[in-house]
Amino acid sequence: MRWKAVLRVGVAMAAFAVATTACGQQQGLGSSSSTPSVAQGVHFEPGTTMAKLAEAHTIRIGTKFDQPLFGQQILSGNLTGFDTEVARIIAGALGIPPDKVQWVESPSAQREELIKQGRVDLVVATYTINDKRRQQVSFAGPYYLAGQSLMVKSDNTAITGPDSLRGARAKVCSVQGSTPAENIRKYIDPAQLTLFDVYSKCADALRTGQVDVVTTDNVVLLGFVSNSNGAYKLVGDTFTKEPYGIGIRKGDVAFCTFINDTLTQAAKSGAYANAWKTTAGKVAEQTPQLPTFDSCS
Ligand code: GLU
């Protein structure tokens, strides 16, 4: 099952380290091999979000700045990761080149507000589609299916999955406003849970021994594992379904449809697979298939 897709870390970690270094030396475009095509002479129905963005020739995209493999700011100040590549593909379909994208850091708890307040045009940020969020924003996609998992220090043999947390004293870290922070409450006492605003703070807390477990989506954790020089590992199977959507203003059906069409095209052209291979695919084993979309509403 896709949810249980095995994510191979070992050898691929070295490959990712090399790739990260290579990206760090680039200015502007992240990885040149995944530079998306930029549509020329685009025309959209007047009044649509697409027409406004194409005319403005710039777009504000909310993403994570501290999540290796999906959205991470590198030394050049540029953003790298699967989410940022997907975002660049969408910008390109609007005729907007990568250097005209304005990135807006979007921690988990702020994503709905950033969209509602019109401070971003869209959010691509390991953002799970769910009904609670759908009351405030709309989602295109999903473009990827993740699942919640646990990350512990490599020498920890006591914690093997969420059930092993029941009745244990383990301190668990996650992020405010995230679905994993809610889901994990079924397994632990509230006093065991520490919440930060971003996952890199949880990874630091694990390193310094302030917490024993970090929990969020498998692919988010995999980014921290791959950067840890063997200090951390994932344990157990994924235990939730986290379909990643592209958050947009609620009710913008035309924009949702445009984004879904763009993703379909990107899957056909190989741009979607390339976005994966040049980012998360450096560490994760399989190139995903584009999932079936939800209907736009
Ligand atoms: N996908 C989950 C969520 O949207 C966890 C990852 C995150 O916080 O970005 O809440």
Side-chain angles (χ1 to χ4, degrees):
M1 251 172 99
R2 192 192 308 279
W3 308 114
K4 294 187 179 171
V6 178
L7 299 164
R8 186 174 293 154
V9 181
V11 174
M13 275 168 52
F16 181 67
V18 171
T20 307
T21 309
C23 286
Q25 289 162 353
Q26 294 214 359
Q27 297 289 323
L29 296 178
S31 168
S32 57
S33 57
S34 62
T35 302
S37 60
V38 179
Q40 303 296 319
V42 289
H43 181 78
F44 298 103
E45 200 179 315
T48 59
T49 301
M50 295 81 82
K52 285 178 204 156
L53 292 171
E55 159 98 10
H57 206 57
T58 183
I59 184 167
R60 298 157 309 161
I61 297 179
T63 196
K64 300 297 185 72
F65 279 23
D66 72 323
Q67 291 181 197
L69 308 183
F70 273 73
Q72 185 177 35
Q73 195 162 38
I74 54 176
L75 285 180
S76 64
N78 198 28
L79 272 290
T80 178
F82 184 57
D83 279 345
T84 56
E85 288 308 315
V86 167
R88 287 182 180 105
I89 288 170
I90 297 164
L94 292 161
I96 301 168
D99 64 344
K100 297 287 180 203
V101 173
Q102 299 171 48
W103 301 105
V104 179
E105 187 173 13
S106 304
S108 300
Q110 293 179 27
R111 293 173 293 197
E112 288 87 44
E113 277 306 313
L114 285 167
I115 295 169
K116 279 163 52 183
Q117 291 173 12
R119 287 160 59 197
V120 294
D121 300 300
L122 53 85
V123 166
V124 193
T126 59
Y127 196 6
T128 295
I129 302 172
N130 65 29
D131 288 342
K132 191 171 163 209
R133 291 172 178 168
R134 270 211 186 98
Q135 288 170 12
Q136 303 186 63
V137 301
S138 289
F139 289 99
Y143 63 93
Y144 183 73
L145 305 175
Q148 186 168 349
S149 190
L150 306 179
M151 177 172 82
V152 297
K153 279 194 173 158
S154 296
D155 59 3
N156 185 327
T157 51
I159 297 164
T160 52
D163 286 318
S164 68
L165 296 174
R166 290 188 205 277
R169 294 247 156 264
K171 295 198 197 82
V172 180
C173 190
S174 197
V175 156
Q176 286 142 8
S178 71
T179 50
E182 293 310 311
N183 299 328
I184 201 65
R185 290 174 201 272
K186 283 195 233 103
Y187 300 92
I188 58 172
D189 189 276
Q192 290 169 257
L193 186 59
T194 299
L195 297 178
F196 288 116
D197 56 343
V198 292
Y199 292 107
S200 49
K201 291 184 186 169
C202 283
D204 283 346
L206 181 63
R207 184 173 49 79
T208 56
Q210 290 169 283
V211 300
D212 306 296
V213 185
V214 180
T215 188
T216 184
D217 302 338
N218 55 348
V219 283
V220 175
L221 295 173
L222 189 64
F224 292 108
V225 169
S226 71
N227 278 0
S228 78
N229 277 327
Y232 308 149
K233 64 180 178 184
L234 295 188
V235 286
D237 284 333
T238 55
F239 54 96
T240 67
K241 295 182 178 187
E242 309 291 332
Y244 288 176
I246 294 162
I248 57 173
R249 188 170 53 82
K250 186 168 166 60
D252 195 341
V253 173
F255 195 30
C256 173
T257 306
F258 169 80
I259 293 170
N260 284 351
D261 290 349
T262 301
L263 292 172
T264 301
Q265 267 314 114
K268 280 192 193 134
S269 71
Y272 172 85
N274 198 42
W276 179 263
K277 283 182 195 145
T278 54
T279 58
K282 301 269 186 199
V283 176
E285 190 178 335
Q286 294 162 333
T287 302
Q289 295 287 317
L290 187 63
T292 306
F293 300 136
D294 298 344
S295 61
C296 288
S297 59

